[in-house]
Amino acid sequence: MQEFNKKLIECRKCDRLVRFREEVSGRNSRYAGENFWSRPVPGFGDISGSILVLGLAPAATGGNRTGRVFTGDKSSDFLVSCLHEVGISNIPTSTSIDDGLEYYDTYITAVLKCVPPNDKPAGEEINNCSEYLEFEIDSMSNLKVVLTLGTVAHTGFNKYLRKKGFDTRGKKFVHGEVYDYGKFKEVCCYHPSPRNVNTGRLSRKQFIDVLWKVKHQANRFH
Ligand code: SF4
């Protein structure tokens, strides 16, 4: 993975996203003076784990600032405190790349490795980035369950599945739905974005319930 990540962080395939990931650091007064990562954000966790948590993209002042996926923003606060509650992480917070966070049997990454404006990637950008996601999933030789956070993650995973010869017809994104592809299962869940959490679309209880479902599908009960 080291070689892979070394190549990944040099990627400049998407002109719009390269510009945005570099510009965004100057737009937030809360982090004035802080050096943003502003490069593609690699996945994090246990690549030999049985669980993959798949998000949309790094957040502007989260992964794009700290250099680690789901780190240093509101979505990370929500996600990691819930992962900790069900025993997937060693600590309940994800604040910086050197905070000592570990995930058990779980790897976390995003469909897109660079932050898109308004969290809306173009189809071409997703296509450009798909080779990286494919490599990550292919590297997870013990993978049993993929938790797709939102429709972009679901669509990205489905694209991967089709490329590998799986039939994804009729498999629409539905919160809480479990799809069985034989080799792996997919559990769909709303993305833990501030918008979904603050509007009540995704409550803490709902998210914890989904995480227990993921652990159950991966046959992990501790
Ligand atoms: S989104 Fe992916 S393909 Fe596009 S520049 Fe970033 S790493 Fe490269």
Side-chain angles (χ1 to χ4, degrees):
M1 291 305 287
Q2 269 179 355
E3 280 305 304
F4 166 75
N5 286 336
K6 228 160 94 181
K7 178 182 163 206
L8 169 67
I9 64 174
E10 298 300 331
C11 183
R12 301 181 68 85
K13 267 195 267 183
C14 310
D15 292 341
R16 184 180 81 119
L17 301 189
V18 169
R19 272 198 312 279
F20 186 69
R21 75 191 189 196
E22 290 168 1
E23 282 168 13
V24 81
S25 61
R27 294 189 185 177
N28 197 310
S29 55
R30 184 170 169 198
Y31 302 105
E34 189 172 328
N35 280 331
F36 276 47
W37 170 252
S38 295
R39 297 171 88 170
V41 179
F44 175 65
D46 180 4
I47 196 72
S48 57
S50 63
I51 297 170
L52 169 63
V53 178
L54 186 58
L56 191 170
T61 58
N64 187 60
R65 176 174 65 87
T66 60
R68 192 177 68 190
V69 68
F70 279 108
T71 301
D73 68 324
K74 294 275 183 219
S75 301
S76 328
D77 291 345
F78 184 89
L79 174 75
V80 179
S81 75
C82 294
L83 292 176
H84 184 252
E85 187 166 328
V86 302
I88 292 182
S89 70
N90 64 333
I91 54 176
T93 54
S94 174
T95 53
S96 67
I97 203 156
D98 55 1
D99 60 7
L101 174 67
E102 287 175 36
Y103 295 130
Y104 303 129
D105 194 36
T106 299
Y107 181 79
I108 300 189
T109 194
V111 168
L112 209 73
K113 312 304 183 200
C114 298
V115 55
N118 302 315
D119 294 328
K120 289 198 169 38
E124 187 192 355
E125 292 160 352
I126 293 176
N127 286 342
N128 286 348
C129 217
S130 61
E131 67 166 295
Y132 299 123
L133 178 63
E134 182 178 347
F135 181 87
E136 289 172 297
I137 300 177
D138 284 348
S139 300
M140 294 192 74
S141 50
N142 300 313
L143 182 61
K144 289 184 182 156
V145 187
V146 180
L147 172 62
T148 48
L149 299 175
T151 51
V152 174
H154 170 77
T155 306
F157 181 54
N158 272 223
K159 193 174 165 212
Y160 168 86
L161 288 168
R162 282 194 297 278
K163 189 166 179 197
K164 301 293 171 179
F166 293 94
D167 184 359
T168 64
R169 278 174 300 178
K171 307 286 197 300
K172 291 196 163 58
F173 177 84
V174 178
H175 175 82
E177 192 65 73
V178 179
Y179 294 121
D180 189 347
Y181 292 98
K183 189 175 176 191
F184 358 76
K185 288 175 180 161
E186 177 189 5
V187 180
C188 302
C189 181
Y190 293 132
H191 191 284
S193 63
R195 192 180 307 130
N196 285 340
V197 173
N198 295 341
T199 56
R201 189 177 209 200
L202 180 66
S203 68
R204 185 177 177 88
K205 184 185 175 307
Q206 275 177 304
F207 196 59
I208 296 279
D209 287 349
V210 167
L211 291 177
W212 281 121
K213 203 180 269 190
V214 168
K215 286 192 77 170
H216 176 75
Q217 297 296 337
N219 294 322
R220 285 187 61 88
F221 303 105
H222 49 84

